[in-house]
Every structure is written in C-alpha cells, then in structure tokens.
Amino acid sequence: MFSLISGFVEVMLRKEEFHILVIGLDKAGKTNVVERLKTLQTDAVGLEPARIVPTVGLNVARMEAFGANLVFWDLGGAPGLRAIWDKYYADSHAVLFVVDAAARDRLDEAKAAFDRALASRDLGGAPVLLLGNKQDLEGAEGLSELAERFGLTGAAAAADARARGAPCTAQPASAHTGAGLSDGMKWLVEALKRSPRRRLVARAS
Ligand SMILES: Nc1nc2c(ncn2[C@@H]2O[C@H](COP(=O)(O)OP(=O)(O)OP(=O)(O)O)[C@@H](O)[C@H]2O)c(=O)[nH]1
Ligand SMILES: [Mg+2]
C-alpha cells in the first residue's frame, strides 16, 4: 500500500519534459546561449565561448529549470544544415529562434528563415521566442526594431498568434554576459505550459 501511494505521489510530482528547438542562422550564438543557460540555471558550468565550435548536426543539452525538465535540441544553422530543421518540428514543444542582432547585413536572411520555420504546420501551437542575441556588441538592433522587423507587434502579429495557436515574442539578450536569457526562457516555458502544444506532445520524463 505504501509503495502504491509513494509511487502515485512520485508520478504526481514528476516534472514534465519539454523539447525546446533551438534554431537560427549559423553564428547567431545558439550554442553559446544554451551553454550560458546551463551556467545560469543549473549547478553545472556550461562551456566557455572559446571552446564552442560550429554545430554540425545536433547538440542535446538537458537541464531542470523554470519548473520543468528541458531538453534543448540545438541545431546547426549553416545553409546546408537548415534542411534538417523540419525533421524536429513535430516533436518540439517550443522554439527558441536565435538572431545575431548585431549582424545587420544578415537580418533579412534571418527573417526569411524565421518565416519559413513558423509557416510549418508541424509547429502549430508551439510558442516561439525570438532571441535578439549579441546585445553586448555596438550597433545591435534593439527590442522594438527587432519586434517590428520580425512582425511581432500590432494587430497583424495578434492575428498570426491566433492562427498559429500560440504567442511569439522578442527578447534582447547576450549569451556572453547572460543578460536577458533567463527572462526570455521563463516567458517561453510559461507560454508553453499554457499552450495546446503541452497537451499534444508533453510527456513525463
Ligand atoms: N559578442 C558576442 N558574441 C557572441 C554572443 N553569442 C555568441 N557569440 C559568438 O558568436 C559566434 C558563434 O556562436 P555559436 O554559439 O557557435 O553560434 P551558433 O548559432 O551555435 O552557430 P552554428 O552552430 O554554426 O549554427 C562565436 O564566436 C561566439 O563566441 C554574444 O552574446 N555576444
Ligand atoms: Mg551551434
């Protein structure tokens, strides 16, 4: 009887596991973001920026943070690697789209990749955080410019969110200083817990 009750309590207290898909152009800072989050949110220390190399394929990082077990699927963003992003859409609960906000000559390319990903039906109902990374660099595009550029403000954005069944917001950040990362992720996990995506594919770890 005791083991039955303790088993029941254990199941009730078990945190759900969510898959966070981390995409964006090559050199946007995706792997640095994930490694810095590890340092900020867990007892482990993430890799130093100097030890991080371009991702070929997939990095998987797990962390217990924001009241959930999070599994980050950090994909390579080089042009030849973007074709595999959509293989992960159906099993992802939420999307962290990282942009190098200081690489102004690549913002149109980033927006095109962002639009292509969000147009996928397989990501319907998945909340999206657009992380405007590298805010520590001079000339980085700020929150209001980024939100406008990526179509995240106004009535059209609200209509898009309704059509997709989940919100999308922008957050300025820096993987090197850590600024903005925890605030952004907190928003994403809270949005995820309220989204239909949680019921669709959430599973206990
Ligand atoms: N100044 C600054 N540089 C950053 C920041 N984040 C990442 N970088 C640098 O940007 C470069 C690319 O970082 P990565 O994390 O490897 O980028 P990525 O998006 O994972 O790239 P791929 O794996 O090729 O898709 C590295 O030189 C990082 O040190 C940041 O917040 N500020
Ligand atoms: Mg990487």
Side-chain angles (χ1 to χ4, degrees):
M1 186 65 178
F2 173 75
S3 64
L4 196 67
I5 292 172
S6 67
F8 177 72
V9 169
E10 193 193 318
V11 167
M12 293 307 287
L13 294 178
R14 203 181 279 170
K15 292 188 176 110
E16 286 165 298
E17 180 176 286
F18 295 124
H19 305 147
I20 311 290
L21 183 68
V22 188
I23 52 176
L25 301 187
D26 49 301
K27 303 186 191 73
K30 299 178 291 299
T31 307
N32 274 264
V33 164
V34 172
E35 292 299 322
R36 176 61 67 158
L37 274 168
K38 229 185 252 175
T39 303
L40 290 173
Q41 293 294 329
T42 73
D43 293 337
V45 179
L47 285 175
E48 284 300 310
R51 300 191 56 203
I52 293 171
V53 295
T55 306
V56 180
L58 167 75
N59 289 321
V60 178
R62 292 174 179 273
M63 62 189 89
E64 194 179 332
F66 311 105
N69 285 318
L70 303 178
V71 182
F72 289 83
W73 288 339
D74 164 26
L75 297 180
L81 300 173
R82 289 176 215 161
I84 65 158
W85 289 0
D86 62 7
K87 305 284 180 285
Y88 293 86
Y89 291 170
D91 293 323
S92 298
H93 292 90
V95 177
L96 179 59
F97 193 99
V98 182
V99 174
D100 180 344
R104 290 188 175 244
D105 57 338
R106 297 195 74 194
L107 287 172
D108 287 346
E109 187 188 358
K111 165 84 163 77
F114 177 82
D115 286 346
R116 252 194 317 276
L118 264 66
S120 170
R121 290 166 64 100
D122 285 345
L123 281 178
V128 178
L129 179 69
L130 179 91
L131 201 69
N133 192 34
K134 307 200 187 183
Q135 294 293 325
D136 57 294
L137 295 180
E138 207 173 335
E141 196 159 276
L143 176 58
S144 54
E145 286 168 283
L146 277 173
E148 191 161 332
R149 180 189 292 277
F150 282 81
L152 307 181
T153 55
D160 273 359
R162 275 196 302 278
R164 291 192 58 256
C168 176
T169 199
Q171 167 75 43
S174 166
H176 278 192
T177 68
L181 297 183
S182 296
D183 287 348
M185 279 308 302
K186 188 164 181 286
W187 177 88
L188 189 62
V189 174
E190 289 305 317
L192 169 50
K193 287 178 177 172
R194 290 191 303 271
S195 82
R197 197 76 175 183
R198 176 186 195 165
R199 290 192 297 278
L200 272 177
V201 283
R203 62 186 173 87
S205 55

